[in-house]
Amino acid sequence: MYTISETAEKLGMSAHTLRYYEKEGIIAPQRNEAGIREFDEQHILWLQFVKKMRETQMPVTQIKAYTELFQEGEHTAGDRLKLLEEHQQYIKDQIETLQATDEMLTKKITAYKKAMKGILN
């Protein structure tokens, strides 16, 4: 079991973020006799997933919706799959945009370097 500060450090996120996720119903840590939050390995795995979804711009509202569907049970698997497929498509679209932008920047940078080389010679 991990405390909130240990969990935050392990995941590279703030304790404030973990409390927010708890408030939003995205995570439900156990509490010990003293009322202190305790996180286990399952919580860590779940939070790693949540962190990746946030890093790829999935809104908290969608993560919350996914969490609620998961908690409802296996009959929601189709809805969860759809939500993840839509997010995956969003990521693929972003990758395509970034690759096109990188190519454009490479051309611009090359043109500037050629122009500057001509000025310096």
Side-chain angles (χ1 to χ4, degrees):
M1 297 297 246
Y2 305 97
T3 65
I4 194 167
S5 59
E6 291 168 335
T7 302
E9 185 176 334
K10 188 175 187 73
L11 294 167
M13 58 176 63
S14 70
H16 174 78
T17 298
L18 294 174
R19 286 187 203 94
Y20 173 72
Y21 288 161
E22 181 181 14
K23 181 179 147 263
E24 290 299 314
I26 292 170
I27 189 79
Q30 318 277 340
R31 291 203 182 238
N32 66 19
E33 317 77 51
I36 296 173
R37 292 171 184 86
E38 294 182 324
F39 298 83
D40 60 22
E41 289 300 324
Q42 286 302 109
H43 292 116
I44 300 296
L45 291 172
W46 173 248
L47 287 164
Q48 287 171 335
F49 171 76
V50 170
K51 184 178 179 184
K52 282 297 173 201
M53 294 303 98
R54 287 297 298 136
E55 287 173 351
T56 57
Q57 308 305 309
M58 180 182 273
V60 171
T61 54
Q62 278 188 292
I63 295 170
K64 186 175 178 178
Y66 181 88
T67 303
E68 290 169 355
L69 288 168
F70 180 80
Q71 290 170 344
E72 284 182 38
E74 285 305 310
H75 70 279
T76 66
D79 292 331
R80 286 181 277 149
L81 174 62
K82 182 179 179 208
L83 197 148
L84 293 177
E85 286 175 336
E86 287 171 356
H87 187 64
Q88 185 178 45
Q89 186 58 53
Y90 169 81
I91 291 169
K92 288 179 179 182
D93 293 345
Q94 291 302 307
I95 290 169
E96 188 177 305
T97 298
L98 289 169
Q99 286 175 331
T101 303
D102 183 55
E103 290 171 16
M104 181 188 70
L105 287 171
T106 297
K107 289 176 185 175
K108 286 280 190 193
I109 290 167
T110 301
Y112 275 108
K113 285 181 178 180
K114 284 181 182 178
M116 290 175 67
K117 192 173 189 179
I119 292 171
L120 297 174
N121 289 335

